[in-house]
Amino acid sequence: MSQPIKIKNALISVYYKDGLEPLVKLLAAQGVQLFSTGGTEQFIKDLNLPVTAVEDLTGYPSILGGRVKTLHPKVFGGILNRRGLASDQEQISTYEIPEIDLVIVDLYPFEETVKAGGTAEEIIEKIDIGGISLIRAAAKNFNDVVIIASKNDYPTLQAQLEEQNGETTLTQRKAYAKKAFHTSSHYDTAIFNYFNEEEPLDVFKQSVADAKTLRYGENPHQGAVFYGDLDAMFTKLNGKELSYNNLVDVDAAVALIDEFEDPTFAILKHTNACGIASRPTVKQAWIDALACDPVSAFGGVLITNVEVDLATAEEINNLFFEVLIAPSYQPEAVELFSKKKNRVILQRNNVELSKKQFKTLLNGVIEQDKDLIIEGPEQMTTVTDKAPTEQELKDLHFANKIVKHTKSNTIVLVKNDVLIASGVGQTSRVDALRQAIEKAASFGFSVAGSAMASDAFFPFPDCVEIAADAGITAVLQPGGSIKDADSVAKANEKGIAMVTTGVRHFKH
């Protein structure tokens, strides 16, 4: 049953006025009596349209600095009364309460004020009371009332009222109510999370207002949706829509590149770096990163922390890749990349990222702080007779940045600010080391004189012995094994340097 309702009276009270004019003019043209408050009332008057102040309806002015405007039985009775219930109709007649059939209201910009660094007082004053109450009341009574809680719905309602001669159907009203409850719950979640930053309660609440349906998930038989504002994070200059796997790799790429300050290029495959180099120029960084593993680089995600010029673009253009990310591009570089319509070219914008991460697990959700620390030379403790050289310390630092963002168990080998090989996601650390050594050799790299980083301690001295025999001269590990002394003794026996950091970087 459609249950069409003709709109006779509308309450309009919004913070943002953009997009409101055409809808208000239509309502007035259809003979709807308009009630409003403050700035919205003046907005309607400036359109030379008739409007009744809410304070004339209630008999009370706006008080307490605007904190109380609409909180009155004549407003909420008008919204909440049930048209089909005789007792409700008798009461609104007794108290001269008009039936309000349409509520258009938005909320004070709480999230925006927090993001802008507002003072505590400014933030608190942006906690909407009347607006949230109006939204919930109208949405609760969707059987008889239309609730519009977002300016994005103005055009849709306008089209419906034009086509249906000022009426709405029950299905339409229920759809608006669902959107309204999303608006109110999202708003309350933002407020709760603001208050929950200090001495937090052990509860999990997240609300993301933007959603994008993806073609599929990790595999074609899996559905997937991305919740977030990608347009704020990136400006897409070319290419198809990002897939689930693209997004996972892009996330890993952004986290990795943010560890580096010098001009750096990284190539990732399945969230792991298969090539990364820091060099004086972006072109040389690309060339040296690609040389690490040109086979795995095919179809990879590429990222740099400096502008991509045409000369670098011409080098990159020789490789098939899925996604390229940079803070900026020369126009000629974008023109070159755009000749292939499917490759995704993203310009990264300056967006603050969350310091938390979470995922579903078993019958719940697991949340943790992001791994946001990295140990440089000043946090490295030499535990062997031989100390690392200045270049070895630099390479150990470089390797440690990579190992932090590589799947465990992992070993990373670096020489002169270039990844020369890594062992990724192995079930034993020895396997990871052997994989790295063999991979380096397969692409013509000598590991002699390289620096090695491990994401966790060595339970036995076997990795140290294998590394030393291969020519690796400096090793970084967190330490903490009950057999640390055995690994240190083996390093001394082999004449290589070892440092510990006291920080483990597992990545499962």
Side-chain angles (χ1 to χ4, degrees):
M1 186 174 178
S2 64
Q3 287 185 241
I5 296 289
K6 181 87 170 181
I7 295 176
K8 305 179 295 298
N9 301 300
L11 172 62
I12 308 175
S13 180
V14 295
Y15 188 87
Y16 298 105
K17 314 298 188 296
D18 46 314
L20 182 62
E21 181 177 343
L23 180 56
V24 171
K25 286 183 175 179
L26 174 65
L27 292 169
Q30 292 183 335
V32 176
Q33 182 174 3
L34 305 179
F35 296 92
S36 192
T37 62
T40 308
E41 178 192 348
Q42 188 60 51
F43 174 84
I44 297 172
K45 285 181 177 178
D46 290 343
L47 296 175
N48 295 316
L49 299 175
V51 59
T52 300
V54 166
E55 60 189 46
D56 292 338
L57 170 65
T58 63
Y60 281 88
S62 172
I63 62 173
L64 306 181
R67 282 189 166 196
V68 179
K69 296 190 288 285
T70 57
L71 296 169
H72 192 279
K74 282 205 170 183
V75 174
F76 283 86
I79 296 170
L80 285 165
N81 77 89
R82 290 155 289 191
R83 277 56 166 176
L85 192 62
S87 59
D88 280 12
Q89 295 305 298
E90 181 180 347
Q91 287 183 322
I92 67 167
S93 176
T94 299
Y95 298 110
E96 299 181 342
I97 298 173
E99 289 183 343
I100 297 176
D101 315 294
L102 168 64
V103 175
I104 302 176
V105 62
D106 59 13
L107 300 170
Y108 292 153
F110 178 85
E111 286 182 280
E112 294 84 346
T113 305
V114 172
K115 289 178 181 177
T119 65
E121 182 178 359
E122 290 170 336
I123 291 169
I124 295 302
E125 288 307 312
K126 290 299 185 289
I127 298 176
D128 207 314
I129 303 301
I132 205 79
S133 301
L134 290 169
I135 287 173
R136 289 178 61 83
K140 175 177 180 175
N141 204 24
F142 69 87
N143 199 59
D144 300 307
V145 179
V146 179
I147 173 61
I148 300 295
S150 169
K151 61 183 179 182
N152 296 330
D153 289 327
Y154 294 171
T156 303
L157 177 63
Q158 183 172 341
Q160 290 168 347
L161 295 181
E162 288 173 340
E163 294 171 6
Q164 297 161 194
N165 193 30
E167 293 183 342
T168 61
T169 67
L170 177 61
T171 299
Q172 291 166 347
R173 294 192 296 276
K174 191 171 184 179
Y176 286 128
K178 177 172 66 175
K179 290 184 177 182
F181 281 123
H182 159 65
T183 296
S184 65
S185 64
H186 177 82
Y187 194 75
D188 283 340
T189 297
I191 294 171
F192 168 77
N193 285 334
Y194 170 76
F195 278 91
N196 203 42
E197 289 178 354
E198 297 180 11
E199 299 182 8
L201 300 175
D202 290 330
V203 295
F204 180 82
K205 289 182 185 290
Q206 290 290 332
S207 177
V208 182
D210 300 290
K212 185 176 185 62
T213 300
L214 306 176
R215 296 196 303 274
Y216 52 81
E218 281 185 289
N219 300 291
H221 61 276
Q222 295 171 264
V225 179
F226 174 77
Y227 295 97
D229 188 357
L230 278 179
D231 292 336
M233 184 81 192
F234 302 106
T235 300
K236 190 171 74 170
L237 305 179
N238 186 70
K240 59 185 178 181
E241 294 299 320
L242 290 168
S243 69
Y244 179 99
N245 291 332
N246 288 157
L247 288 169
V248 174
D249 283 332
V250 166
D251 176 71
V254 167
L256 175 60
I257 203 68
D258 283 352
E259 300 286 358
F260 298 89
E261 297 179 0
D262 294 334
T264 302
F265 226 114
I267 307 168
L268 288 89
K269 200 71 172 289
H270 302 297
T271 74
N272 295 304
C274 57
I276 184 165
S278 292
R279 288 292 182 261
T281 67
V282 64
K283 179 180 177 180
Q284 194 59 51
W286 162 254
I287 292 171
D288 290 349
L290 179 62
C292 176
D293 184 351
V295 174
S296 296
F298 184 85
V301 169
L302 322 177
I303 190 166
T304 182
N305 57 1
V306 291
E307 182 174 82
V308 174
D309 54 28
L310 179 59
T312 307
E314 289 172 339
E315 292 286 341
I316 299 171
N317 200 47
N318 295 321
L319 176 76
F320 168 73
F321 63 89
E322 289 277 351
V323 183
L324 171 61
I325 309 162
S328 61
Y329 300 83
Q330 286 186 351
E332 298 83 359
V334 176
E335 183 180 355
L336 176 63
F337 290 134
S338 299
K339 291 179 179 179
K340 295 184 179 179
K341 64 179 182 178
N342 284 335
R343 55 169 51 151
V344 181
I345 308 300
L346 299 178
Q347 181 171 297
R348 184 180 173 186
N349 302 322
N350 186 21
V351 173
E352 185 177 356
L353 300 177
S354 172
K355 293 180 173 57
K356 297 278 189 178
Q357 57 188 174
F358 58 88
K359 63 180 179 180
T360 58
L361 196 69
L362 300 175
N363 62 342
V365 174
I366 190 169
E367 181 184 58
Q368 68 171 353
D369 298 330
K370 283 185 177 178
D371 185 358
L372 296 176
I373 64 173
I374 190 67
E375 310 76 53
E378 61 277 8
Q379 286 86 37
M380 298 176 190
T381 301
T382 300
V383 292
T384 49
D385 297 335
K386 184 178 180 180
T389 66
E390 184 176 345
Q391 182 59 48
E392 286 171 340
L393 280 173
K394 190 177 179 185
D395 284 343
L396 289 171
H397 187 201
F398 194 96
N400 199 30
K401 292 177 180 179
I402 302 170
V403 90
K404 170 182 167 182
H405 296 278
T406 306
K407 292 291 186 181
S408 301
N409 287 316
T410 183
I411 293 289
V412 168
L413 305 180
V414 166
K415 188 188 294 185
N416 298 324
D417 296 334
V418 177
L419 172 67
I420 60 172
S422 59
V424 176
Q426 298 302 304
T427 52
S428 81
R429 204 154 300 281
V430 169
D431 286 344
L433 175 55
R434 285 176 174 155
Q435 181 190 54
I437 294 171
E438 290 172 8
K439 192 170 185 179
S442 71
F443 290 108
F445 289 101
S446 169
V447 301
S450 65
M452 179 178 96
S454 172
D455 61 335
F457 61 63
F458 302 121
F460 305 102
D462 44 8
C463 277
V464 179
E465 184 170 22
I466 295 169
D469 290 346
I472 295 165
T473 56
V475 176
L476 175 147
Q477 57 133 332
S481 169
I482 60 173
K483 294 188 176 182
D484 273 350
D486 293 348
S487 294
V488 173
K490 182 59 69 174
N492 284 330
E493 176 189 327
K494 294 290 187 176
I496 65 173
M498 179 185 290
V499 301
T500 58
T501 61
V503 179
R504 187 183 74 185
H505 291 294
F506 267 163
K507 186 182 180 190
H508 282 69

